[in-house]
Structures are given as structure tokens and as C-alpha cells.
Amino acid sequence: MTTTTPAQPSGTAPGAGPGDLTADEFAERLAPMRREILAHCYRMTGSVHDAEDMLQETYLRAWRAMRGFENRSSLRTWVFRIATNTCLTHLEGRRRRPLPTGIGAPAADPRDQPREDLGTPWLEPLPDALVWSQPAADPAETTVHRDSVRLAFVAALQHLTAQQRAVLLLRDVLAWSAAEVADALALSVAAVNSTLQRARAHMANVQHLTPMEPTDPRHRALVERYVAAFEAYDVAAIVELLAADVVWEMPPFPGWYAGPQAVGELIGTWCPAQGPGDMRMVPTSANGLPAFALYMRNEEGRHEAFQVQQVTVTQDGVRHVTAWFGAELFARFGLPAHLA
């Protein structure tokens, strides 16, 4: 997996940059926070591409402002303050990034051919490898908590204003005090509290699924059957594994589908696969949950990048699938464009 390493400011000799740190020393001090900052910027923007840009900009802004850092707060608090305001500047005048289920339209008819909407900036998946280099020995000790990057949570954040997002994340995810948030965002404590109240009220309406842990044997067995059904292009077997209230969505197509029958009809009608072997699925992970890179066999017989599916499994079966289309996603997950 190739991850983005923030560019270091030029100059490595003592006194070459702001403050008393060299560029290498500065980058070394910020390195332990890199994944946390990236996750924070992803929550704010809903885009991995934008989050990586904001991470780079945060490093540069912090380097330039290092002389003004007077240790009145921790270095971590100071850097996250810069990251938050960098994201707020970036989000000015930009459209939110929804999922198809978040645009307010009813469930689509699977008999109608899906049509792409390339004009909407859709919410992007977050490859786990960008924020977790390896599984933590104790999930409670994970620096970036998985619940804070769950797709449903990040999708709900996109319905808030940029300022509401910032306040909610700083207070409820990073556990800052109201006074710290007020100082970081140039607000009064009263304004922070009222903004937080409105943000929490919206987030309370978000449906919270309780996914089974990937380590659960039942989860592994169901996922193995799910992959086998796709690779065999056995639509009936796929439908059997879906929960009664399953939801299927697939950016950049704005339509979403509810219920096993609708999902089965969608796959059986519009999937370009013709039979067993046409699809191959490679396991990966995104937003703290299992995901699969689906490769479709083309006319030359080669399997090429087709979609990335994130699969949410509950006690009742596969409860939610978000399938992102776009070969460019595969590189972000460190996956090849074609399979041998």
C-alpha cells in the first residue's frame, strides 16, 4: 500500500526555518499525528483526495507559523487547530458530499437503467490502510477510533454546515473543551454550545447500525458465502444472504435500492457479468469495515477494475452495501487496475 507522506519544508540546517526546529525535526515531531490529522480532514471534507491535500497544507501552515507557537497549548492541539481551519477555508462555497441515500430521493426502481451523475461530488471511501498501518492489539487503543470514520457517521456529517462539523468533531471526537473550540474557531463559548446542540440534534436522527466484528466466525462465514455467490454470479444466492431491510447504493449513480428483491433484480438485470468467473473479488477494508474490490472480465478475457464494495454485515445478514464505481479508486487502495 502506498500512502501519501506530507512534503517536508525545504531547509534542514538549524535556524533555516521558523522557530528552533529544523525541517526534519519538525516533520519528525508531527509524524505520529499524521494518520489522525488525515482522518480528521476526511471527516471534515468527505474526500480522501481533499483530506490528503489538507494534510499537506496543514504541515506547510504549521511550519510557517512555528515561530508563533508559544506552548500555550499542546503541539497536537495547535496542529489540529490549524488543520480544522484549513478545512474550513477549503469548504467555503463548496457543495456537500452525499451518498445516494442522502439526497432525499425515494428508492429507485431496479427495472430502470441506472444513470450516472458525474456532476455531484460524492462521498468517498477511506481505505483503512491510510489510518491504520496494522490491526491494533486492543481495539480500544486504536488512535483513530473506527466509529469516528464509519461511513454512516461521515455521511451524516456532510449534512451539517462546515462550522457545525468542526464544532462537533472537536468536541465529541477529539474531546476538546468548549473554551478550546471557541478559541480555535474565533467563536464565543455560547456560540460553540448552541452550534454543538444543533449538530447533535441532527446526528441523533442518523440510523446507527451495529455491524458484526470481522473476527466473528459467523461474519467470516457469511462474507465467504457472499464472495462465492458473486464470483459464481449466483443472484439467488446473493439475495439469500441479504437482510430483509438491506440497502444498496452505488455512487456515482444517484439511485439507491431497498430490499433483497430489488437488489437481486438490479444485479440480475444490469450487471454486465454473464456467468461464473466473470467477477473476481479481492478483499480490502474501508471506513473500518470489510470491503471488496470487484474485477469484471472484459471482452478480451482480462479482469479489470470495476467497483469497490463496502459491506456491512449484521446479525440479520448483509444490511448495507455501498459500491463505488471508478478505476481510480483501486490505486488509492493500493490495488492493480487489472488482475493477472
Side-chain angles (χ1 to χ4, degrees):
M1 176 69 202
T2 301
T3 57
T4 301
T5 301
Q8 296 184 13
S10 60
T12 56
D20 298 325
L21 295 177
T22 68
D24 288 341
E25 290 169 341
F26 176 77
E28 184 178 352
R29 288 188 65 179
L30 266 59
M33 301 178 238
R34 191 191 71 78
R35 294 174 187 271
E36 284 186 275
I37 298 169
L38 179 66
H40 180 66
C41 294
Y42 170 72
R43 297 183 201 103
M44 284 290 296
T45 64
S47 164
V48 176
H49 180 270
D50 289 352
E52 289 179 331
D53 286 347
M54 296 304 96
L55 175 65
Q56 298 281 358
E57 181 64 21
T58 296
Y59 267 59
L60 291 174
R61 288 189 183 190
W63 169 249
R64 292 168 184 157
M66 193 65 195
R67 188 179 297 278
F69 177 56
E70 300 175 353
N71 292 309
R72 288 181 296 180
S73 63
S74 69
L75 179 65
R76 182 176 182 275
T77 298
W78 182 72
V79 171
F80 270 89
R81 172 178 180 156
I82 294 173
T84 303
N85 283 287
T86 298
C87 290
L88 288 172
T89 300
H90 169 77
L91 290 169
E92 290 178 359
R94 293 179 182 268
R95 297 166 61 189
R96 66 184 181 92
R97 287 182 172 271
L99 286 173
T101 48
I103 60 178
D109 189 333
R111 295 169 296 181
D112 297 334
Q113 183 174 3
R115 303 288 183 184
E116 290 182 305
D117 177 3
L118 299 178
T120 296
W122 298 102
L123 180 62
E124 298 176 356
L126 175 68
D128 280 5
L130 292 181
V131 286
W132 298 292
S133 58
Q134 59 186 8
D138 179 358
E141 296 177 358
T142 302
T143 302
V144 179
H145 293 286
R146 295 181 186 275
D147 286 346
S148 74
V149 293
R150 291 282 194 236
L151 198 62
F153 178 72
V154 180
L157 287 174
Q158 304 309 304
H159 291 271
L160 304 178
T161 67
Q163 187 178 90
Q164 287 173 339
R165 273 180 241 174
V167 169
L168 182 81
L169 292 174
L170 293 176
R171 290 284 283 119
D172 289 356
V173 176
L174 298 183
W176 286 20
S177 69
E180 287 175 318
V181 177
D183 184 55
L185 303 182
L187 298 171
S188 67
V189 171
V192 167
N193 289 333
S194 63
T195 300
L196 180 63
Q197 184 178 19
R198 290 193 296 272
R200 283 175 174 171
H202 174 80
M203 299 297 285
N205 296 324
V206 177
Q207 183 178 17
H208 295 284
L209 296 178
T210 304
M212 292 174 66
E213 292 297 325
T215 54
D216 189 313
R218 294 168 298 174
H219 179 283
R220 290 199 300 268
L222 190 148
V223 166
E224 288 173 2
R225 291 171 60 197
Y226 180 83
V227 171
F230 261 93
E231 294 189 335
Y233 193 40
D234 186 342
V235 177
I238 295 172
V239 169
E240 184 181 347
L241 299 171
L242 305 179
D245 54 353
V246 66
V247 170
W248 182 286
E249 52 189 335
M250 45 187 193
F253 297 91
W256 62 278
Y257 304 86
Q261 182 177 352
V263 173
E265 189 169 357
L266 172 76
I267 297 171
T269 304
W270 303 110
C271 179
Q274 299 297 313
D278 281 354
M279 293 185 284
R280 291 174 62 185
M281 299 183 80
V282 175
T284 182
S285 54
N287 297 82
L289 289 175
F292 298 92
L294 193 155
Y295 291 82
M296 187 71 66
R297 183 153 54 193
N298 60 22
E299 294 179 356
E300 290 74 36
R302 185 167 64 166
H303 287 84
E304 59 184 4
F306 186 66
Q307 65 180 212
V308 174
Q309 293 187 14
Q310 189 202 62
V311 182
T312 302
V313 177
T314 67
Q315 299 284 351
D316 300 321
V318 174
R319 173 62 179 76
H320 199 122
V321 176
T322 304
W324 288 271
F325 284 80
E328 68 281 355
L329 280 176
F330 283 64
R332 196 168 293 283
F333 278 85
L335 296 166
H338 300 88
L339 293 182

